[in-house]
Amino acid sequence: MPAHALKRSTLLTLCACVLVAQSMVAAINLLIPQLASSAPHPSHTEILWTVDAYVIVFAGLLVPAGALGDRYGRKGALLTGLAVFAAGAATSALAPDPALLIAGRGLSGAGAALITPATMSILVQLAGPERRAQAMASWTLAIGLGGMAGNLGGGLVGQYLSWRALFAVMVPLAGVLAAAVALTTPRTARSPLSSPDPAGTLLLTAGLVAVLFGIIEGPDHGWTSARILTAFGVGAVLVAAFTVHALRSRAPLFDPRVFRSAGLRATTLGLATGFFGLFALFFVNSQYLQEVKGFEPAVTGVAIVPLIVGMALVPRFAARWSARPRPVVGTGLALIGAGLLAASTADAHTPYPLYACWLLVISAGTGLAMPALTLGVVVSLPAHQAGLGSGLGTSAREVGAALGVAVAGTALAGHADFANGMGPALRVVGATVLVSTALVVTGFRGSGRASRVAAEAPSATEPVA
C-alpha cells in the first residue's frame, strides 16, 4: 500500500470515530447526579453499572475485536462497530428502566471495541512506515481529545439538557461517521493468518471482564471482600487457561510469547501507566472543581480544557523522535507524575490559573509519551496483526484507566471528606506513575533498535477486503 494512500479526509474520519468512542467513557461521569434523580430511579449499584458496563465490555472485547478485523476486513469491522454503537445508544436513550439502560451501555461498549482497533489498523496499513509515526500521533491525540470531549459534553448536557440527550445524539452522529467511513476509507489488506479462535476469545474475554469487575468494584465492596477476591481469582484462572490454550493451539487468537519482546512489555505498561494517571485525574478533577471550587457542571467541563493544549501541540514534535522512544516516553510519563504531585497541593484557595498550569504539565507529558507508546505496540507485532496490536494497546489503556479511578477512589474513601482526601489520593497516584515510569524506561533498554527495524520493515502482501 503506497504511503499516499492515507488521505487527510480518511485520517480525520478515523480519528473522529475513535474520539467519539472514547468520549463515552468519561461523559457519563458528570451526569451521575441527574441520573440518580431521574425517572428510572436507579439504585446506587445500578448507577455504578451504568457507568462501568461500557468500560468493562469495551476493554474485554478489544483483543478479539482487533483480531476479527484483521481476519475478515477492517472497514467492515468499523462500520459494524458504528452500527452496534448506535444501537446501544438508542437503547440507553429510550430505556424505561435501569436494566435496559445498562444493557444499552454494554452494547455501545461492544461497538466501541470494534471501532477502536479497526481505526488504528487501517491507519497503519495506509500510512506506510514513513508516515506511521505522524498517523499514530494523530490517533493518540484523538484518544485524548475523546476524554476531553466526554467531560465537556457531559457537563453541558448535565447543565442544560436531560441525560437521555447524551445517548440520543450519538445515534445520528454514528450515522454521519458511518457515511464518512463509506466515502473516504478504502478497504485494506486482510490477514488470513489471524484467527478468531472462539475458545481463546471466550477465555480471554471472560478473564479480562472478571479482572476489570474486580478493579472497578473493589473500592465499593472492599479489596479483601469475598466478591472481589473471587473476581480476581476467576480472572487469573481464565487468563492462565487462555495462555495454556494459546500455546497449544495451531491458530490461537494471539501467541502469548509475543510478550517476550521487552519493547512490547514496556509499551503496554507505559500506556497503562499514562492512562492510570490521566483517568485518576479525571475522577478527582470533576469533584474538586464542583465540590471544592463550586463550579457548575458546564464550567467544570470547560475548566479541564487546558489538558487539550499539550495533547494537541506536543505530538507534532514527539512524532519526530519516534525512533528514540526511551527518552521521549520517560520524560512524558515523568511529567504526568510530576503534574499529579503538583495538583495534589490544590485546595479551595488555589487560584484556578495555577491549577490550570499543572493540568498543562500533565497534558504536555501525555502528548509527548503516548504517540511513541502507541507506535511501539504497533511495531512490536507484524504489520498483518495491526488490529490485534491496537487491541492490546487499548486494553492496556482501559485497564490502566480503570485502575486509576479505583486507586483514587480507594484513597479518597479513607478520609472524612473529599477536600481532605484529594491531596493524598493524587500523591499516591503520582508516586505510582513515577515508579512505573522507571520500570518502563528500564524495559526500553535494548528495544530501540528492534523497534526501528520493525517500523522500517515492509508490510506483507495480503488479500484486500
Side-chain angles (χ1 to χ4, degrees):
M1 187 73 68
H4 63 266
L6 179 60
K7 299 179 180 178
R8 181 177 293 273
S9 59
T10 305
L11 177 63
L12 291 175
T13 296
L14 296 175
C15 287
C17 290
V18 75
L19 185 153
V20 170
Q22 190 67 35
S23 72
M24 290 302 283
V25 175
I28 193 68
N29 290 310
L30 291 176
L31 295 176
I32 290 175
Q34 187 188 98
L35 185 61
S37 59
S38 65
H41 302 296
S43 67
H44 176 69
T45 300
E46 288 168 336
I47 289 175
L48 285 176
W49 275 104
T50 299
V51 174
D52 296 341
Y54 185 91
V55 178
I56 289 175
V57 177
F58 181 20
L61 292 177
L62 275 165
V63 173
L68 282 172
D70 286 340
R71 176 64 184 268
Y72 295 110
R74 301 169 180 103
K75 183 175 180 179
L78 176 54
L79 291 171
T80 302
L82 288 167
V84 173
F85 180 86
T91 301
S92 295
L94 300 173
D97 55 59
L100 271 180
L101 175 60
I102 295 168
R105 286 280 290 168
L107 189 60
S108 287
L114 285 165
I115 292 169
T116 302
T119 54
M120 180 199 274
S121 187
I122 292 170
L123 284 177
V124 169
Q125 294 292 318
L126 296 181
E130 59 277 1
R131 295 184 60 192
R132 195 169 289 159
Q134 290 81 0
M136 289 301 96
S138 298
W139 189 89
T140 303
L141 172 61
I143 288 276
L145 292 181
M148 305 301 103
N151 278 277
L152 180 59
L156 291 172
V157 170
Q159 185 78 33
Y160 300 112
L161 300 171
S162 162
W163 61 267
R164 294 182 185 273
L166 174 69
F167 301 112
V169 75
M170 292 294 150
V171 180
L173 180 57
V176 170
L177 290 174
V181 169
L183 292 173
T184 67
T185 305
R187 296 186 183 275
T188 59
R190 288 183 299 167
S191 170
L193 302 178
S194 296
S195 171
D197 185 16
T201 295
L202 180 61
L203 288 170
L204 182 61
T205 301
L208 286 174
V209 167
V211 170
L212 284 164
F213 173 86
I215 292 171
I216 292 171
E217 298 294 325
D220 289 308
H221 296 284
W223 293 104
T224 58
S225 67
R227 177 179 296 191
I228 300 306
L229 291 177
T230 299
F232 284 135
V234 170
V237 169
L238 289 172
V239 172
F242 165 78
T243 302
V244 172
H245 165 81
L247 292 173
R248 293 179 176 178
S249 174
R250 289 186 176 182
L253 180 65
F254 76 94
D255 189 341
R257 286 170 290 198
V258 297
F259 283 103
R260 290 177 177 172
S261 164
L264 184 59
R265 293 197 304 270
T267 51
T268 51
L269 177 60
L271 288 168
T273 298
F275 272 66
F276 172 84
L278 201 58
F279 272 75
L281 174 70
F282 288 160
F283 179 74
V284 170
N285 175 77
S286 61
Q287 297 179 74
Y288 168 69
L289 293 176
Q290 292 184 82
E291 296 180 18
V292 179
K293 299 295 286 183
F295 289 7
E296 295 291 335
V299 178
T300 298
V302 174
I304 203 172
V305 165
L307 274 172
I308 296 176
V309 177
M311 292 183 189
L313 299 180
V314 176
R316 292 176 177 270
F317 302 99
R320 301 175 184 176
W321 307 319
S322 59
R324 300 175 60 85
R326 191 180 175 201
V328 173
V329 169
T331 302
L333 292 179
L335 285 174
I336 295 174
L340 289 166
L341 293 179
S344 73
T345 64
D347 56 26
H349 305 292
T350 301
Y352 172 74
L354 177 59
Y355 182 71
C357 289
W358 298 329
L359 297 184
L360 285 171
V361 172
I362 297 170
S363 172
T366 303
L368 188 62
M370 290 302 150
L373 289 167
T374 302
L375 182 62
V377 173
V378 172
V379 300
S380 295
L381 293 172
H384 69 267
Q385 290 185 312
L388 172 61
S390 174
L392 289 172
T394 310
S395 291
R397 288 185 181 89
E398 298 307 321
V399 170
L403 269 174
V405 172
V407 169
T410 300
L412 284 168
H415 294 81
D417 55 41
F418 178 84
N420 290 320
M422 174 182 166
L426 286 181
R427 282 192 287 275
V428 169
V429 173
T432 303
V433 168
L434 292 177
V435 171
S436 296
T437 298
L439 296 175
V440 171
V441 171
T442 301
F444 269 111
R445 286 178 179 171
S447 66
R449 181 179 180 276
S451 295
R452 289 193 296 271
V453 170
E456 293 167 2
S459 301
T461 303
E462 296 163 337
V464 173

